[in-house]
Amino acid sequence: MFLRLLFVLLIMLNIVAGAWLFLGQPYAHVPPATDPGVPELHLLSELPAQVATTNPVADTSAPMPPAPTPVAPDTASGSASESGTTELRCLTLGPFATPHDLLQARTALTSITKRMRSRQEQVAQSRSWWVYLPAPTSRAQALALTKQLAAHGIGDYFVVGGGDQPNTISLGLFKDQDNARKRRTEVVAAGFPARITERSETAPQYWLDLVAASNRFDWQSRVHADGVDSHSTSCF
């Protein structure tokens, strides 16, 4: 009886041990890590020594693509495009007397130019020549000097009363330089130290800078303002 019970007990222990070995391992039912048909990766330490030495890790990486071969530029087409470029001509037209003249010229040249710009400059222009006698030390002396002028038959004078040249005796203001020289010669011949000086003032001048194609560019047929000329300038 005791042997039969011991035999049954051994059979039960075998059954329990088999169930634990089959069901108790955490990796027993883990699905494969790779898709079907894809070889598994193994560490070097897991491979046999001969395989590890003949197949280094570097061999498993994908080969680098070859460097692209440089393509030589097409010099023929580049030179052809440069030779086909239109040569430009850069000019300055002016001076224009008024802004209206400048606007008319710009309107007339718009269709035959690449680009234009207008500008204004202030320039000194001679307006007249002044003949005079230097100022004496006092107004009384200036008045006495005018009496001497009258005694020599010289008229058309006056004594400057203020400004930066008080007591100066003015003998005339002339737009023509030759007339001013004649007046001075007349007074000097009478024995008086007459002088002549040019009076100028700043006045605006208007200019038109333009860039156009050099072939068959004719601005003279379109611009009719007086005194306008042209000269080359730097392109912009």
Side-chain angles (χ1 to χ4, degrees), residues 61 112-113 148:
S61 60
I112 61 173
T113 56
Q148 296 178 23

Side-chain angles (χ1 to χ4, degrees), residues 174-233:
F174 303 88
K175 289 186 177 182
D176 184 59
Q177 188 177 12
D178 291 337
N179 293 335
R181 288 173 177 172
K182 291 178 182 178
R183 177 64 167 174
R184 177 180 177 274
T185 300
E186 176 189 3
V187 176
V188 171
F192 299 94
R195 298 180 182 177
I196 184 173
T197 185
E198 180 183 6
R199 285 194 167 186
S200 62
E201 60 184 24
T202 58
Q205 283 187 347
Y206 306 95
W207 301 85
L208 180 62
D209 300 329
L210 55 90
V211 180
S214 60
N215 53 340
R216 296 186 300 176
F217 176 68
D218 179 22
W219 65 268
Q220 291 92 339
S221 61
R222 295 172 178 261
V223 178
H224 306 290
D226 295 334
V228 176
D229 202 354
S230 68
H231 62 268
S232 299
T233 186

Side-chain angles (χ1 to χ4, degrees), residues 12-29:
M12 292 181 63
L13 288 176
N14 288 334
I15 293 173
V16 172
W20 179 82
L21 291 175
F22 182 77
L23 300 178
Q25 300 298 326
Y27 51 83
H29 301 284

Side-chain angles (χ1 to χ4, degrees), residues 44-163:
L44 288 178
S45 58
E46 298 176 352
L47 297 177
Q50 182 178 1
V51 176
T53 55
T54 57
N55 297 283
V57 178
D59 292 342
T60 61
S61 60
M64 295 294 293
T69 304
V71 180
D74 190 354
T75 56
S77 60
S79 59
S81 60
E82 291 179 358
S83 61
T85 304
T86 303
E87 184 180 356
L88 298 180
R89 184 181 181 188
C90 303
L91 295 176
T92 293
L93 304 185
F96 295 91
T98 64
H100 178 70
D101 294 339
L102 176 64
L103 179 60
Q104 283 188 327
R106 183 160 190 159
T107 303
L109 297 174
T110 298
S111 61
I112 61 173
T113 56
K114 301 291 185 181
R115 51 188 176 270
M116 290 185 291
R117 66 182 181 188
S118 305
R119 55 187 173 87
Q120 175 182 334
E121 295 180 355
Q122 295 291 332
V123 296
Q125 295 182 346
S126 298
R127 292 299 183 183
S128 58
W129 284 263
W130 183 35
V131 182
Y132 64 97
L133 290 177
T137 56
S138 65
R139 184 170 181 80
Q141 292 178 350
L143 294 175
L145 189 56
T146 59
K147 294 180 180 180
Q148 296 178 23
L149 290 172
H152 286 80
I154 299 175
D156 297 331
Y157 54 80
F158 71 92
V159 178
V160 178

